[in-house]
């Protein structure tokens, strides 16, 4: 199974917050935002594994700044690390309201996906090759998060 760089499967998508995506106060529903994050992360996972995947966990989901109706959202996802049949994807959502000069961090999370074989059972995934210093830091941090989750389960 061939190793792949982080860059190979990086995924970016965009959306705009419509009134039907917002609560009574005019800010995007958290659930709508999570759906966008899950789709973008899932695409990154599928690109990396070249197979079907399923979400198994959403960790450290933080809603950092509210996004009001009309905000243009950018959702970025990249693989931090691959394990035997699973992989951790980092997702960041930024947003900019028309007329504003700078985008703001709206939300971020770490999501775990499992690759599925033709039989629907977990399948091996290619390793990740971190190239930049930031990718190497995220690669190591993914292992620490995984080990911490395992320790909590015991």
């Amino acid at each position: 199974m061939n190793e792949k760089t982080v860059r190979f499967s990086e995924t970016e998508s965009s959306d705009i917050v419509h009134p039907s995506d917002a609560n009574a106060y005019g800010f995007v529903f958290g659930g709508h935002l999570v759906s966008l994050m899950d789709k973008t992360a899932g695409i990154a996972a599928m690109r990396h594994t070249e197979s079907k995947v399923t979400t198994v966990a959403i960790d450290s989901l933080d809603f950092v700044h509210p996004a009001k109706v009309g905000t243009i959202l950018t959702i970025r996802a990249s693989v931090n690390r691959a394990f035997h049949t699973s992989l951790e994807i980092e997702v960041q959502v930024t947003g900019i309201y028309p007329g504003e000069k700078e985008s703001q961090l709206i939300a971020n999370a770490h999501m775990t996906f499992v690759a599925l074989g033709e039989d629907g059972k977990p399948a091996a995934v290619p390793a990740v090759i971190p190239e930049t210093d930031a990718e190497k830091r995220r690669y190591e941090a993914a292992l620490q998060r995984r080990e911490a989750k395992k320790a909590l389960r015991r």
Side-chain angles (χ1 to χ4, degrees):
M1 189 163 286
N2 295 337
E3 298 175 330
K4 296 179 182 169
T5 63
V6 173
R7 195 175 47 240
F8 178 83
S9 58
E10 282 180 327
T11 301
E12 180 176 298
S13 62
S14 298
D15 203 3
I16 188 165
V17 179
H18 293 288
S20 61
D21 305 325
N23 61 25
Y25 308 109
F27 298 110
V28 69
F29 284 121
H32 180 71
L33 203 52
V34 171
S35 175
L36 295 172
M37 295 169 80
D38 191 34
K39 288 176 188 176
T40 305
I43 292 168
M46 285 184 272
R47 285 180 171 164
H48 182 82
T49 64
E50 298 181 20
S51 70
K52 295 177 185 176
V53 297
T54 188
T55 312
V56 295
I58 300 175
D59 298 316
S60 62
L61 171 61
D62 293 308
F63 296 106
V64 179
H65 192 272
K68 59 188 173 182
V69 171
T71 300
I72 299 165
L73 303 172
T74 301
I75 306 99
R76 292 183 183 91
S78 59
V79 178
N80 283 340
R81 190 168 185 143
F83 300 98
H84 179 63
T85 60
S86 66
L87 56 162
E88 183 191 87
I89 310 289
E90 185 167 334
V91 187
Q92 285 195 342
V93 181
T94 56
I96 188 162
Y97 192 78
E100 292 179 356
K101 300 282 187 230
E102 293 183 30
S103 62
Q104 295 182 312
L105 180 62
I106 304 297
N108 56 43
H110 296 101
M111 305 176 96
T112 302
F113 288 78
V114 167
L116 301 174
E118 291 300 317
D119 58 1
K121 294 181 181 176
V125 299
V128 174
I129 305 167
E131 297 176 300
T132 68
D133 288 342
E135 290 171 359
K136 290 173 185 174
R137 280 192 301 276
R138 291 194 306 267
Y139 181 87
E140 292 304 323
L143 179 60
Q144 292 172 359
R145 278 187 291 276
R146 184 175 199 239
E147 290 174 348
K149 279 174 42 173
K150 282 183 174 182
L152 284 174
R153 284 189 222 132
R154 287 186 219 131

